Amino acid sequence: MSFSSESGQLRSRHRSVRYKALASAVAAACAAAVAAPSLAQESAAGPQETVRVTGSYIERAADRPTPVAILDQVEIQAQQRVSIAEVVRDMPQVTSANTTANWEAATNSINLRGLGSRSTLVLLNGQRMTIDANAGSAVDVNNLAPQIMVERMELLLDGASALYGSDAVAGVANFITRDRFEGFEFNMSSQWADTQTDTPEIVASGIFGTGDDDSHLVLAVELQRRDDKLQEEDRFSNERIANGLITALWNPGSYLAAPGADVPGWHVDPLCNSAEIGGTPDQNEIWDPAGFRSGPFCRGLLSLQRTNTPEFSNLLAMAVYTQDFDFGGLETFRVEAGFARADSQSSFGTGVPLLALPAVSGAGPILPASNPGVYDAWYRSGGEGSPGGGTLDTDYTNGTFPYQDFGRIFSRQLSPLDGDAASLDSSTVQNTYRISASLEGVFGDSDSWDWRVNGTFSQNDQKNNPNDTITDRYMRAVQGFGGPACKWNFVQGALNDPNVAPGVGSCQYWNPFASRLIADPTDLSPINPNDPNSPTQNQLYNSPQLLDWMMFGGQNLNESRFTAFEGIITGELWEMGGGATGIALGAQYRKQELEIGVDPIQKDGGLGFSPQILRDWQSNRDTDAVFAELVMFPSETFEIDLAVRWEETLGLSSTDPKVSMLWTPTDSLFFRATAGSSFRLASENQLFGIGPGSVGRDTIGGEVTQAVGIAVGNPAIIPEESDNWTLGFTWDVTDNLTLDLTYWDYEFTNLVTSTDAEDTLRADLLDGYVNWDVAADGPSPGVTSAAFIAANAVSPHPLFPGRPNEFCDPTGSEYVPGGTGRWDGVSPLPTGCVTGFDFEIFRSSWINQNVVLTNGYDLTIDWRKDFSGGGMFGARFMGAFTEEYAGISSVTGQVTDVVGTTGDGVAGIGTNPDLRANTMFTYAKGAHNFRATLRYTAGSINLDPNILEAAFDEGPYNQWDLVYGWDLPLDNPATLTFSVINATDEEPPLDPNGLITYNAGLYDGRGRLFRLQWVQGF
């Protein structure tokens, strides 16, 4: 494979050695195949049925094994999953089937071999689909078709860019629909979790098909509803949630004295961990929803009120019409139309943190002493006006919490103790439309040359409603100017308008302290009976109307459109020993458009948790491609498939070849090998986008960094390249036993990945200071820091203005070898040392990394036994073993193997267990069917340097699924199925220091599930 680009890179010596090994293996196999005697026998029944499977445009005998994993409708139903994404997630070769955080757009994609969700090309009936209208640039498999409409899923397990173009790097997932179904079938199921027995999940679907010899129509519809969210605390114990990410951005909060204040430094809310607001000091303080004290801060757990499984509804509909002809070479007209609507709602959890409230020199205090919450905090900390305390209205020095102005609020707007009000919901609604039409025919009277043309259009519209705090309104409210009716003359300003005063009339104070939780809006008594100037108790209360005024359920409107036209000619050429040579020639044009529309508040950087200044952006990419495939049969025991594709997008062209072979020395033994190159274009977001980026969670100066991230697209990055090959065999040992083994190998170069905030920070701290060269973490090579800053309106420094930049942590501590060593990690941090709280924002962009290497084995063992008295017992093992999974270490710069780990510190690498396997046991007799499945995932060593226990092992994980099906004794076919998913209620392995405590891409966090399904046919 080669790219027409000035940025091309030289092949490594390592790759050349790998190619020599592959060439020798394929040459030996080919030589042995051609020399072997012909042992295949011609069927007495005449010509065999031919089929076309994913991975080839040319039909061949239906009984020839291919490197394609096929799940048919029967097997999909037997899995007893509510969605295609859940079925895919349980496949051993898949390391993730979900790309979403719990509050963002629900895009369920496929991640084969851990190579990324965009490395697997998703097709519906052989045609592409538009990407979801968000920054992920992936296809949502749950938007393709109703599950009842899917006849089978074909998963090609090696690179296929030579046939399908960009994105087919790890493989292809092709979903084939039931186009010739006749009759009516109804499917209804109810599923509920142990922890949510009162809110079952409902799936109802139906399919109808009718037609005659020349025409056929199939219609299908599916509705899925989950009417309640499952929260982390609904599923997991307090002790487990206590291992989640701990933050000092909590409520009760902490407050930094204003410049020049009598008592400088940080001061914690006196009600932190107080039993008065629900604190439990005698129990596990880390779990405590009221927060726990550590140093000068109140801390809490971000996993609280975090959505484990969102509230969700999904409507899918699809229709396929087929018309057969018999004139002028035209044989078939086919059109399919589909619609999907998905509505997802999640809780952000524990209120909204306020990250955009730095002290501004000369602008006055952010939190003035006049706020009633400040007075109450002073009073509760001992400032009761005792005889030695001085005059109340002029002194106020006798409390441990100072009665003074504050220059920074380090808090969340709400806390778990606020109940449902703190469980702020964010929602996403998306609609997907698709239409595809094709014509097929033959050339003249030829029975060996045919043609096929297709046109496809699909569109995805998304409306995202994030819930966040409007920073300006929050700052006005804590100063006493809150509420929609608090208006002043904007020319004079609030201070010069005699009709406006803080906390008077329509102007309200927002109390950021925990005293709001126990305030009585009807109590007019003073907080301090001894002080005539004391605020009253009701002034500590925050009205729901004021909260609503400060919040913003913004609306981002995004649209993605895809158009493609394709034409293919297939035919036969010369005869060889094993049959006629097949050929396919084709051309394709496709266009992918993406528009991201950002709401006005985010364009102004006006949100508290997401203060990045964002903008609308668009992407428009046209692709032209031509391709060819040649299948030759030198003997009756050997076939060889050659394919090549040229493709051009945005001025970059790629030529990708692939060679495959199949040798059948006996009727029961099949050897196969493939070798080829693939490529993947950078995503729309990676090239043109601007949006949230990676966020650091490192501990600096004893405090976790709380900064958000912003990522800017880089038009200079070039496509990723991949060389891949496979070797395998299928052996029918007996009529009842089959073995299948495949070795696979991928080598990526020019991997596109984001500069990681944590990796960049650790490298920056090696000299003991925060310098943060924006050329390293922001723009691409060749783009100056000044140009990057000017184009994106960002500062090159990640710290708040005026904060120190010396890294004083002990040398060699934790993950950073640097450090001046001025702090021992135990005593109070010296003045002038940077802490995690001093970081404002992390900037990043996208770059090309050097290499990612991965290889391993797929093994399937299938055995069955038929009993003379009736009945059948079967056992099947399907496993994927990853031998190597390596990338460039951000610390050493060397290729580092991190298979079986979370991949921290290696760019472009995520969690990849070294073994995933399913073992299924089935028994069937008469109308009764039983299945027990053991799903095993090996443990993964967590390399996150921030977790308390080094080399924390996540796993292994064993899950038992039990299914019983009964074919009902009715006139029409009907089946009743009862399932217990995760029968032993196994918890997913703990993923510490995270927003949720497990890897949602690998595991289902709902626990034991009960499912009842009724399928009725007519």
Side-chain angles (χ1 to χ4, degrees):
M1 174 180 59
S2 62
F3 277 98
S4 300
S5 169
E6 294 180 358
S7 303
Q9 297 184 359
L10 295 176
R11 302 291 183 182
S12 66
R13 180 178 180 276
H14 177 66
R15 177 181 301 181
S16 134
V17 172
R18 291 155 68 96
Y19 268 150
K20 289 177 182 178
L22 170 61
S24 300
V26 173
C30 292
V34 175
S38 175
L39 300 177
Q41 301 296 318
E42 187 173 331
S43 172
Q48 288 186 322
E49 178 189 359
T50 60
V51 295
R52 182 186 300 115
V53 297
T54 303
S56 177
Y57 290 113
I58 300 172
E59 293 184 350
R60 63 202 69 195
D63 65 345
R64 301 180 78 83
T66 62
V68 177
I70 298 178
L71 291 179
D72 60 15
Q73 174 68 207
V74 174
E75 180 62 25
I76 291 173
Q77 289 291 335
Q79 297 288 332
Q80 287 295 293
R81 298 294 190 260
V82 299
S83 68
I84 289 294
E86 291 186 11
V87 173
V88 171
R89 181 193 58 209
D90 291 333
M91 299 184 69
Q93 298 88 353
V94 175
T95 56
S96 177
N98 194 331
T99 63
T100 66
N102 68 312
W103 62 87
E104 294 179 340
T107 297
N108 293 275
S109 58
I110 301 174
N111 184 356
L112 272 173
R113 314 292 192 198
L115 296 173
S117 59
R118 292 184 53 254
S119 292
T120 304
L121 179 62
V122 176
L123 305 175
L124 179 60
N125 292 320
Q127 302 299 318
R128 288 180 178 242
M129 183 88 169
T130 188
I131 60 174
D132 272 13
N134 53 44
S137 299
V139 175
D140 191 340
V141 296
N142 284 337
N143 286 341
L144 296 176
Q147 187 178 141
I148 198 172
M149 184 76 171
V150 177
E151 179 177 281
R152 66 186 185 275
M153 182 191 74
E154 298 180 349
L155 193 62
L156 179 64
L157 297 172
D158 64 350
S161 288
L163 290 168
Y164 298 106
S166 176
D167 304 331
V169 177
V172 178
N174 190 12
F175 295 84
I176 312 297
T177 54
R178 303 167 74 180
D179 296 351
R180 295 291 178 174
F181 175 83
E182 291 190 2
F184 176 70
E185 183 177 300
F186 179 78
N187 185 328
M188 184 162 184
S189 65
S190 177
Q191 176 174 283
W192 61 98
D194 263 353
T195 51
Q196 282 188 309
T197 56
D198 56 335
T199 53
E201 184 172 359
I202 303 296
V203 180
S205 59
I207 184 171
F208 170 76
T210 185
D212 53 30
D213 291 341
D214 296 326
S215 60
H216 206 85
L217 175 66
V218 180
L219 304 170
V221 65
E222 177 179 290
L223 175 64
Q224 176 188 355
R225 288 190 62 88
R226 185 189 303 131
D227 291 328
D228 194 13
K229 298 183 290 291
L230 181 67
Q231 304 291 77
E232 281 286 280
E233 54 266 37
D234 295 335
R235 167 67 177 126
F236 300 122
S237 67
N238 296 356
E239 289 74 19
R240 177 178 175 122
I241 295 179
N243 286 281
L245 183 61
I246 297 174
T247 179
L249 264 174
W250 197 243
N251 195 313
S254 305
Y255 306 87
L256 180 64
D262 292 336
V263 187
W266 289 96
H267 303 275
V268 66
D269 189 325
L271 284 174
C272 176
N273 202 37
S274 169
E276 194 172 356
I277 60 169
T280 54
D282 296 331
Q283 298 180 21
N284 183 356
E285 290 187 341
I286 294 181
W287 157 254
D288 192 350
F292 63 95
R293 291 177 185 262
S294 177
F297 299 100
C298 193
R299 304 176 189 273
L301 284 163
L302 288 181
S303 295
L304 288 171
Q305 295 182 317
R306 188 73 53 170
T307 296
N308 180 307
T309 307
E311 181 180 335
F312 182 74
S313 66
N314 193 20
L315 174 65
L316 289 162
M318 187 173 183
V320 176
Y321 175 73
T322 305
Q323 179 68 53
D324 294 332
F325 300 96
D326 188 18
F327 64 90
L330 179 62
E331 291 188 329
T332 305
F333 168 71
R334 184 179 181 280
V335 62
E336 59 187 69
F339 171 76
R341 176 181 175 86
D343 192 337
S344 178
Q345 190 170 59
S346 300
S347 296
F348 190 85
T350 60
V352 176
L354 301 163
L355 302 180
L357 298 175
V360 180
S361 178
I366 286 180
L367 176 63
S370 59
N371 187 295
V374 177
Y375 186 97
D376 183 82
W378 163 80
Y379 180 69
R380 288 179 181 278
S381 68
E384 300 181 4
S386 57
T391 306
L392 284 172
D393 59 350
T394 60
D395 197 333
Y396 298 100
T397 59
N398 50 355
T400 57
F401 188 94
Y403 184 61
Q404 62 185 20
D405 294 338
F406 291 88
R408 190 171 176 193
I409 301 173
F410 211 70
S411 176
R412 308 178 85 81
Q413 195 182 82
L414 300 168
S415 81
L417 297 172
D418 285 284
D420 291 339
S423 190
L424 300 170
D425 286 339
S426 292
S427 64
T428 296
V429 177
Q430 58 173 318
N431 295 307
T432 305
Y433 314 87
R434 182 179 184 273
I435 187 167
S436 180
S438 61
L439 289 170
E440 298 184 18
V442 298
F443 289 98
D445 297 329
S446 172
D447 59 357
S448 60
W449 286 85
D450 56 29
W451 55 268
R452 183 170 70 254
V453 294
N454 174 271
T456 298
F457 174 80
S458 56
Q459 177 171 317
N460 178 267
D461 300 328
Q462 287 197 10
K463 180 173 67 176
N464 303 327
N465 297 92
N467 216 331
D468 205 339
T469 308
I470 301 177
T471 305
D472 292 343
R473 290 187 176 183
Y474 181 87
M475 294 178 69
R476 285 163 56 189
V478 295
Q479 294 174 9
F481 299 106
C486 184
K487 302 291 186 181
W488 61 76
N489 185 303
F490 284 91
V491 176
Q492 292 178 310
L495 298 179
N496 298 317
D497 190 333
N499 299 314
V500 176
V504 177
S506 298
C507 297
Q508 304 174 56
Y509 273 108
W510 174 265
N511 174 17
F513 291 82
S515 55
R516 74 194 185 284
L517 295 166
I518 50 179
D520 183 352
T522 64
D523 188 352
L524 302 179
S525 63
I527 295 172
N528 185 354
N530 299 319
D531 184 2
N533 297 317
S534 169
T536 56
Q537 293 286 349
N538 69 311
Q539 290 178 305
L540 298 174
Y541 176 75
N542 292 327
S543 72
Q545 294 78 17
L546 183 59
L547 173 64
D548 183 67
W549 173 78
M550 291 189 300
M551 297 304 298
F552 178 71
Q555 191 170 98
N556 298 327
L557 301 176
N558 307 333
E559 185 175 285
S560 171
R561 297 180 299 275
F562 175 78
T563 306
F565 298 98
E566 182 179 76
I568 300 173
I569 298 172
T570 59
E572 294 180 357
L573 297 175
W574 57 85
E575 286 283 341
M576 301 183 73
T581 299
I583 187 171
L585 302 171
Q588 183 186 72
Y589 166 80
R590 63 180 190 266
K591 183 184 188 71
Q592 177 68 65
E593 302 168 273
L594 180 64
E595 297 179 4
I596 302 296
V598 180
D599 68 76
I601 300 296
Q602 294 185 71
K603 289 179 181 177
D604 195 39
L607 297 181
F609 174 62
S610 301
Q612 305 99 325
I613 299 173
L614 304 181
R615 63 167 185 256
D616 297 344
W617 60 273
Q618 300 83 33
S619 169
N620 190 329
R621 302 204 294 193
D622 293 82
T623 299
D624 298 300
V626 292
F627 50 91
E629 182 185 9
L630 189 71
V631 178
M632 297 178 291
F633 303 90
S635 72
E636 292 183 351
T637 63
F638 181 65
E639 71 177 59
I640 184 167
D641 190 328
L642 304 174
V644 64
R645 183 181 181 109
W646 174 88
E647 190 163 291
E648 181 181 43
T649 304
L650 298 177
L652 290 173
S653 64
S654 173
T655 302
D656 292 278
K658 182 177 181 180
V659 56
S660 307
M661 70 77 115
L662 177 66
W663 175 39
T664 58
T666 73
D667 288 342
S668 60
L669 186 59
F670 306 83
F671 290 98
R672 58 185 179 273
T674 67
S677 64
S678 294
F679 76 106
R680 179 174 63 183
L681 294 168
S683 73
E684 287 76 4
N685 184 49
Q686 292 166 346
L687 289 170
F688 310 111
I690 178 169
S694 63
V695 179
R697 298 201 311 263
D698 284 340
T699 302
I700 306 296
E703 305 298 343
V704 177
T705 55
Q706 304 289 336
V708 296
I710 186 169
V712 179
N714 177 5
I717 54 180
I718 63 176
E720 301 171 353
E721 304 178 34
S722 167
D723 296 309
N724 53 83
W725 56 279
T726 68
L727 289 172
F729 72 87
T730 300
W731 181 23
D732 296 326
V733 183
T734 68
D735 290 341
N736 297 326
L737 176 63
T738 298
L739 302 179
D740 187 284
L741 177 66
T742 300
Y743 175 81
W744 46 268
D745 185 288
Y746 296 83
E747 179 178 354
F748 274 86
T749 55
N750 301 328
L751 185 76
V752 178
T753 185
S754 173
T755 50
D756 185 84
E758 293 177 341
D759 291 344
T760 307
L761 175 59
R762 295 165 195 170
D764 181 51
L765 293 176
L766 292 177
D767 64 352
Y769 293 88
V770 181
N771 304 307
W772 204 271
D773 179 11
V774 83
D777 80 300
S780 60
V783 179
T784 66
S785 300
F788 178 78
I789 296 167
N792 301 292
V794 296
S795 164
H797 208 280
L799 301 177
F800 282 111
R803 303 309 301 161
N805 72 330
E806 182 183 355
F807 177 63
C808 300
D809 290 32
T811 300
S813 66
E814 297 183 3
Y815 48 86
V816 181
T820 61
R822 287 210 296 128
W823 180 50
D824 58 12
V826 179
S827 58
L829 191 70
T831 302
C833 298
V834 66
T835 77
F837 292 164
D838 296 323
F839 288 80
E840 177 183 13
I841 193 168
F842 290 110
R843 278 159 294 278
S844 63
S845 187
W846 304 90
I847 60 174
N848 287 108
Q849 289 285 359
N850 290 336
V851 66
V852 167
L853 310 173
T854 183
N855 55 74
Y857 302 87
D858 292 338
L859 173 64
T860 299
I861 305 174
D862 200 339
W863 176 82
R864 58 174 290 162
K865 172 68 175 177
D866 294 317
F867 299 103
S868 58
M872 181 277 294
F873 177 79
R876 172 181 290 183
F877 173 87
M878 296 183 297
F881 174 75
T882 303
E883 184 178 31
E884 179 186 31
Y885 194 58
I888 302 298
S889 169
S890 59
V891 177
T892 66
Q894 303 298 314
V895 175
T896 304
D897 188 3
V898 289
V899 65
T901 76
T902 53
D904 293 84
V906 178
I909 300 287
T911 299
N912 198 336
D914 58 12
L915 177 61
R916 295 197 78 199
N918 295 333
T919 306
M920 291 179 287
F921 305 94
T922 58
Y923 177 75
K925 184 175 183 180
H928 304 281
N929 297 273
F930 302 88
R931 170 182 287 205
T933 303
L934 173 62
R935 306 188 188 278
Y936 172 82
T937 301
S940 298
I941 302 299
N942 194 315
L943 301 180
D944 184 350
N946 293 291
I947 61 176
L948 299 178
E949 180 182 351
F952 184 89
D953 191 354
E954 298 179 11
Y957 178 74
N958 292 283
Q959 174 180 311
W960 280 99
D961 296 343
L962 306 177
V963 179
Y964 165 67
W966 177 32
D967 295 332
L968 301 176
L970 302 177
D971 292 338
N972 293 305
T975 301
L976 186 66
T977 304
F978 177 71
S979 311
V980 184
I981 310 299
N982 192 3
T984 59
D985 199 24
E986 185 83 1
E987 284 193 1
L990 173 66
D991 183 9
N993 200 41
L995 296 177
I996 60 175
T997 60
Y998 66 97
N999 184 335
L1002 281 173
Y1003 309 105
D1004 191 328
R1006 291 174 290 182
R1008 184 188 294 114
L1009 299 170
F1010 300 95
R1011 179 176 170 84
L1012 187 64
Q1013 181 187 57
W1014 172 39
V1015 179
Q1016 178 71 62
F1018 298 94

